[in-house]
Amino acid sequence: MQTVDGSTANLAGVSPSASSDLDIIGTLCRILTRSQVIISADLTTPHSCRSYLISYSVIEDEDDFSINTIIRERQEQLNAALQEISDLERVMDGIKNLHRQLIEKKDGITQSMNLHRRLVSGIWRLPTEVLSHIFVHCFPETSHISPPSKTLAPMLLTRICRRWREIAVGMPSLWRRLRLYSNEVGNRRWESIAFCYDLWLKRSRGHPLSLEVWCCSDDSNTILRGLIQPYINQISTLSIRFFPPTDKPELMLENLSALQELTICAYDSFLMPNIAQSISQLPFTMRSLKITFPVLKLHDFSAFTPLMARLTNIEVALDQMNTVPNILHLCPNLSSLTILTGVKQKMRASRPIIHTNLRSLRIAHDIWNTEHLSHLFDVLTLPNLRMFEVRYIEPSQIHALFDVLDSLPHPKSSGIDVQSWPHGDLRALIVRSNCPLKGLVFSGGVTPTDEQRAEYVALIPSLEVVVSRVAR
């Protein structure tokens, strides 16, 4: 092959691929040499200036012959230029192909280098069991994950290397939690999103599922329900948010044969009767019920009666404290109760109740209305209570939750008036219950005095009393 300086290169012993590359380079060099002749050719003629000034009538025969000769010469030059352009385009295609092959080669070299580096790295020698344990702790703090989230576990784990992908895909526990949005049904990417949802659920391989579902229109809810239908018997934990214009919330609560924990937030209080009816038909496996909105009234719980006897955990917002003894009466197996209330009316007289299974009681209340707590403490006896927490709710939170129109005065200080805190009634409850209380927590601005705290500890020396300005 001839090189740029005209010498001949010896290609003996050169691989076919390398020889082909050299051919491309040699051809390019020849084209560059020839093209310089074409590019540097002077296109000026004696007629160049005349052509714009004279008419055809004054052109003589000898001029005509000279011009025709120039035209033929230009045609030959044009043909030569077109040929060089064609040859150059062919070489450029070859260069592009060569560039692509070199990029692929570079990637292959990098991959091979990384592979061999991993072989001498400690983390890549970890047994599968150890990696599996690490993967479980890679989850984000959020309770549920919205795919496709390629930057978070477990999807991120499948993109590191083949071994990590195989381990992650083979761990059903990594694919048990998922958040689904029904408003994505109308999205132009819905097919891709639905495929991702389905692939995620398949990887759970029959293990119990924890799902969070955001429900909007009934049509989109129906489609979303159809997508999760093949996995309906795996759902053990379900959290549902109902947004208007949902009219049929019961659709998402049907045939949940393995459900154990249910959380509901219905932003339209008119949905509550249908939701209550559906809750009453939930399976015997149900153990935990949490309703963050709307606020429940006493008659709402009457619809839950078949379910209440099986529940061990309840978290609800109440419109009156008289509902608490009724809940305890309907739920003999209850071990944990969390209530939020902003009621201002005095608690009506209620029969004393002894609940032997309640271990945890948490109350969030309005700082200016503690009288109802006194009456509640008076009627309760909780011989198995281990944890009691009370915290203060800002008036603004009360208004948002209970839709109260009249405003309450904002407290002048972050602490409660110690005279209004029913210390004596809580102390009497602890004494009467003779319970193995381990933790007594005051948070969000509820601040008993040092003397009151000392009295609690005097009753139970091992008791831990925690006072925190921040609501836990």
Side-chain angles (χ1 to χ4, degrees), residues 53-195:
L53 302 174
I54 62 176
S55 62
Y56 290 104
S57 60
V58 299
I59 296 177
E60 298 179 359
D61 291 342
E62 58 184 28
D63 292 334
D64 186 64
F65 176 79
S66 175
I67 292 173
N68 287 334
T69 301
I70 293 172
I71 291 174
R72 285 194 296 270
E73 183 182 342
R74 294 294 180 268
Q75 184 63 54
E76 292 174 357
Q77 291 173 331
L78 177 60
N79 292 340
L82 291 173
Q83 182 62 48
E84 293 302 316
I85 291 173
S86 177
D87 292 344
L88 184 59
E89 288 177 345
R90 238 182 350 260
V91 172
M92 290 172 64
D93 290 339
I95 292 175
K96 289 180 181 178
N97 185 53
L98 177 60
H99 180 265
R100 178 183 57 79
Q101 293 178 12
L102 288 173
I103 292 295
E104 292 176 355
K105 189 69 173 181
K106 180 207 70 172
D107 293 341
I109 293 171
T110 303
Q111 184 178 1
S112 177
M113 186 168 60
N114 291 338
L115 172 63
H116 288 82
R117 280 177 175 170
R118 288 197 293 265
L119 294 176
V120 296
S121 174
I123 191 171
W124 301 103
R125 297 180 181 179
L126 291 176
T128 299
E129 293 76 11
V130 175
L131 280 176
S132 300
H133 188 72
I134 294 174
F135 287 178
V136 171
H137 293 278
C138 287
F139 271 83
E141 294 183 359
T142 176
S143 59
H144 294 84
I145 303 171
S146 303
S149 181
K150 297 180 180 179
T151 60
L152 298 175
M155 293 295 289
L156 177 61
L157 301 174
T158 66
R159 305 173 65 216
I160 305 302
C161 67
R162 181 180 298 177
R163 184 183 177 222
W164 281 33
R165 175 180 175 81
E166 291 174 351
I167 294 174
V169 171
M171 292 179 61
S173 60
L174 297 183
W175 310 94
R176 293 182 56 242
R177 297 183 295 160
L178 179 63
R179 180 183 295 130
L180 306 95
Y181 299 91
S182 72
N183 62 344
E184 289 180 332
V185 171
N187 193 312
R188 57 187 178 86
R189 296 179 54 249
W190 168 244
E191 289 187 6
S192 174
I193 295 171
F195 175 81

